[in-house]
Amino acid sequence: MSKKEELQLEKIRHSLSHLMSMVIIKMYPDAGLGVGPAIENGFYQDYSLPEPISSELLPKIEKEIKKMIRQNIKFEQHDMSFDKALKLYKKDPYKREMIRDLKKAGEKKLSFYRSDWFENLCKGPHVASTKEIKQDAFKLTKIAGAYWKGNEKNKMLQRIYGIAFNNKKELDEYLAKQAEAEKRDHRKIGKDLDLFVFSDLVGKGLPLLTPKGSIIRYELEKFITEEENKRGYLRVYTPDLARLELYKQSGHWQHYKESMYPPIDVEGENYMLRPMACPHHFMLYSSRLRSYRELPLRYAEIVRQYRKEQSGELSGLIRLMAFSLVDAHIICRPDQVEQEFKNVLELIQYNMKVLDFKDYWYQFSKWDPKDKKKYTDNPKSWRETQQLMKKILDQLNLEYVETEGEAAFYGPKTDIQIKNVNGKEDTLFTVQIDFDMPEKFDLNYIDKNGKKQKPIVIHRASIGCLERTMAFLIEQYGGAFPVWLSPVQVQIIPVGSHHQKYAQQVAKRFQEENIRLELKDDNETVSKKIREGELQKVPYLLIVGDKEIKSDSVAVRDRKKGDLGPMKTKKFIAQIKEEIEKRK
Amino acid sequence: MSKKEELQLEKIRHSLSHLMSMVIIKMYPDAGLGVGPAIENGFYQDYSLPEPISSELLPKIEKEIKKMIRQNIKFEQHDMSFDKALKLYKKDPYKREMIRDLKKAGEKKLSFYRSDWFENLCKGPHVASTKEIKQDAFKLTKIAGAYWKGNEKNKMLQRIYGIAFNNKKELDEYLAKQAEAEKRDHRKIGKDLDLFVFSDLVGKGLPLLTPKGSIIRYELEKFITEEENKRGYLRVYTPDLARLELYKQSGHWQHYKESMYPPIDVEGENYMLRPMACPHHFMLYSSRLRSYRELPLRYAEIVRQYRKEQSGELSGLIRLMAFSLVDAHIICRPDQVEQEFKNVLELIQYNMKVLDFKDYWYQFSKWDPKDKKKYTDNPKSWRETQQLMKKILDQLNLEYVETEGEAAFYGPKTDIQIKNVNGKEDTLFTVQIDFDMPEKFDLNYIDKNGKKQKPIVIHRASIGCLERTMAFLIEQYGGAFPVWLSPVQVQIIPVGSHHQKYAQQVAKRFQEENIRLELKDDNETVSKKIREGELQKVPYLLIVGDKEIKSDSVAVRDRKKGDLGPMKTKKFIAQIKEEIEKRK
């Protein structure tokens, strides 16, 4: 899209928000107006209304807006003094506060847009006339609560969202994409396939994995544990709690406090739910003297981490109050850091392949030299470490995006970024080089000559947070997981009740091979059972009847390829076992 | 020991405490005297002193006591009025408080014991004369801090412990047993074998498992997960946090508050670190309608649980601030509960066999009808459920001890009890029948006739808390773990530097079979390496030199059987693999 087209869309979206407010004010003359910006794909406007409104009202508002569009209403910009504006909004505390804020911010005058009988404080831009807006290219989508100024201590307003495009075709395309994304939304699939649930009594952002969802998580844990063990990682178990002192020494308390839970007072001592596991692993390292011969030490742990999120930001398995990071800290000598960093990236690339993640990119996340609050203040080490990371990334011929102000507080990161089905970008995995913590915790090793030296630390998450990775996998596969991740790997469906005994014998053979199965021996028709199995996205449905009994076989219905006809049971077991073992 | 002998020992111990106080008061005339009872194996006495004393002083105090014993000092009991006693102790606030407490408790008079110049408020009994005490049959053992009245809000006093027996032989036997227990103490072995560490910065009662200790835990997890999966358990993952509301509904807050961490306030909502996982599993159960056909549902999870302990009670891996319970909740129909309970006991018995626990016994832990605070108030259900449990235990022909007032607040328990190396009794595993929670959480299933019914819940811990079980295993094996649990399963020791290449080839063959090994290729003598391997309690040391290279073999040194001579490498690998797989 050209800059010009973008600007035109912004005008349309601002103007629609303006028109919507006209409708609302006709309905509620005393409505207060909060913010109402143009956003990606559309716009929203916050209202303070005398009663809660429901989304059933949206078509009616849309109809009124369309009526105005057809009237070719003109928008005219004019400036106004602060005093006059305050008088205009004498009944609207929100607009008055906005005006005072603008004054405080040093604005000299206020921009207003007038159309017909309505004028509205707005920077714009707007279209010149509603002629420029296509009445079939917009839609009001939903109503949600929104705190005034985004602060949960303030009053909650009612926000109406709309989407708007240049023409109907664009709108339809967007809606179709949305519908597909909704179908793949991990929250929906999680419910349909009974993978996880939430409970009001347990609380927001604290998912409970059902037995089926737990199988996926367990398989992911098993996969990564085996893979990391092969690559020389050492598993450790450390507690989820620590004294506040630990996080003061690490700097988490100074740089990361807002994301931490408040301290828990036990016998006058403050304990914290850990935001990260690194300091714990450093305590293991420094529990005894280390020789250069012991390094690198690669401490790996699946760590339950706690992060305070605003309840409004919690979402499915992506944004949680507590999550499980597949974490590791590699403590190595400076001469080992390049090789170790490369090994980590290789492991991550391997994992991306096994997990079928294709549309990802690298982000080289650097420090912001001006932000002294967010980052450890040690410019020399920042520059050196960033140079080192850049050098390694270049040696590996990786394409990457550089971003300032996205580093960890203790060092630069290489983030593996991905977009979810809704197009929202997220960090999936991360590798970080840390020059800061070895100083803060006085980590040492004794070199060849008997002298104390500082090691370097690599922080890394090889398959990220298990919950988040699960969410991405659910969306990527639309619930149709590869066999090794499928909660139910085969369903055995006897044609009639006299085939049940054989079905049970077949089931036993699968059980002995640790293949996860369901035996559908209830009183339903075969076609209904097949339909149910397909809805549950079971990879293989195995139908058994007279023919199969005679030939010691199963009629295979492949989720992807459809009906494959009969196959010897033994052969099918060998085939599915290979598929599982190779994680195909 | 006869009642008479027991009484005599009690007299000796009381009298020794009395004599010790005489020595202390000679040293510190203004010493305050706290409590000073006879205890198992000895006695102690609390003192308020003007300075901290060290254990180096103990031999000197012992010497003074012995001197008095030789003087044949007599002990005489007499009564005293409260007023006179308060006057006597006008400088000792502790004795004065004790006296006032006795008065409040309704005592009519005070008992004193006099010997020589010293008289002491004491119920006794005492010996008639120090003639009855053998001066070589007692010993002062240690000094520790102790809060006045055991309350951490009060002043800390200095407590001197002693042990005392009838004669020197008994004392020596006790000391020898103690020395053996100390050698086996999991805290000592944990340090010597580098299995776990504590960190002041992380906090008391929060152990960090090193890579070696983590292997033991990982193997235990793997063992029990596989075993439970085989037996039809369903793995789940639920969060360590929940809203306070959940524990109000379950009753934990009402019955169990003292052991819970204080609430954590996030956005005005109180979250709790979970004391138990049962309510979480009930939330999974009630997330959808259940049919009688689905039951029993056996939810299994390795749960990190949080329990507030007084810091003075924290000990090694036994008493912790957070621990990992191998937990499960079986939700079943009333007609299934007997079979499920039996299956659980069978699983536990199997685990006891695999883990080599032999000296255990069953305790049938019942409710205390009088304690309305500790237990759910539902006498009818208590009686029925206890009858049911008793019936099952009797059917199984199990010998068990019945104990009142040891049930969970929601139902009776069958506890598997064990003594540690110090003779302290502890509950290792537990099975509980719960009639209470299904009511509280309105758990239901639809029966054959389409009617709602209440299920019954069995709570169970199949191998207990992993940390505690580890502690018992460490002590039971004295660090010499069976091969499947050994952090290092074989050590390969090349005789000279020209055998290193072969040693590496051998090592690779073991690695490919996932056998945990260490290759000792540093510049030490073979005998020193063998000694180190033995100290580390490695099950097999494999020495390789010229002879072994020629015959493709390894010279096996078995931890138990000693030198076994050379064995074909292939044969040894097959043998050790079988040992590992069968968890021998």
Side-chain angles (χ1 to χ4, degrees), chain B residues 452-518:
Chain B
K452 263 194 194 177
Q453 301 289 355
K454 286 260 156 294
I456 289 181
V457 173
I458 297 174
H459 305 236
R460 49 110 278 197
S462 61
I463 55 166
C465 305
L466 285 172
E467 295 85 354
R468 175 180 292 199
T469 300
M470 268 180 74
F472 278 99
L473 287 171
I474 293 171
E475 299 192 347
Q476 159 172 296
Y477 293 121
F481 302 102
V483 185
W484 71 282
L485 283 176
S486 286
V488 178
Q489 295 171 321
V490 297
Q491 245 177 30
I492 300 171
I493 301 175
V495 173
S497 57
H498 51 295
H499 306 117
Q500 282 192 10
K501 207 180 141 197
Y502 176 70
Q504 277 160 10
Q505 286 164 1
V506 171
K508 212 170 154 234
R509 286 168 68 182
F510 279 86
Q511 262 159 359
E512 278 161 9
E513 302 288 347
N514 289 318
I515 296 163
R516 296 184 291 265
L517 68 92
E518 263 176 20

Side-chain angles (χ1 to χ4, degrees), chain A residues 282 285-292 294-295 297 331-333 437-439 441-447 451-456:
Chain A
F282 302 148
Y285 180 85
S286 60
S287 67
R288 57 183 177 84
L289 209 65
R290 301 290 173 179
S291 142
Y292 70 99
E294 285 180 80
L295 303 187
L297 274 170
I331 307 180
C332 64
R333 304 189 305 254
M437 295 287 178
E439 288 290 339
F441 284 103
D442 195 24
L443 305 182
N444 297 301
Y445 65 90
I446 305 300
D447 72 8
K451 277 190 190 149
K452 263 193 192 177
Q453 301 289 355
K454 285 258 156 297
I456 288 179

Side-chain angles (χ1 to χ4, degrees), chain A residues 2 23 51 98 141 197 259 323 334 338 345 399 417 428 462 529 536 540 542 550 552:
Chain A
S2 71
V23 181
E51 61 183 8
M98 262 186 255
T141 51
V197 298
S259 299
F323 51 86
E338 278 190 43
L345 278 181
E399 272 187 55
Q417 302 292 103
L428 199 54
S462 61
K529 285 185 230 175
Q536 289 294 310
Y540 296 105
L542 307 178
K550 260 184 233 146
D552 189 13

Side-chain angles (χ1 to χ4, degrees), chain A residues 505-515 517 577:
Chain A
Q505 286 164 1
V506 171
K508 212 172 153 230
R509 286 167 70 181
F510 280 86
Q511 262 158 358
E512 278 162 7
E513 301 288 346
N514 289 318
I515 296 163
L517 68 90
K577 271 187 76 175

Side-chain angles (χ1 to χ4, degrees), chain B residues 130-148:
Chain B
T130 55
K131 258 192 220 169
E132 295 175 39
I133 306 174
K134 294 232 158 48
Q135 57 166 312
D136 57 1
F138 87 96
K139 199 170 161 32
L140 301 186
T141 50
K142 62 174 178 179
I143 300 177
Y147 292 111
W148 168 239

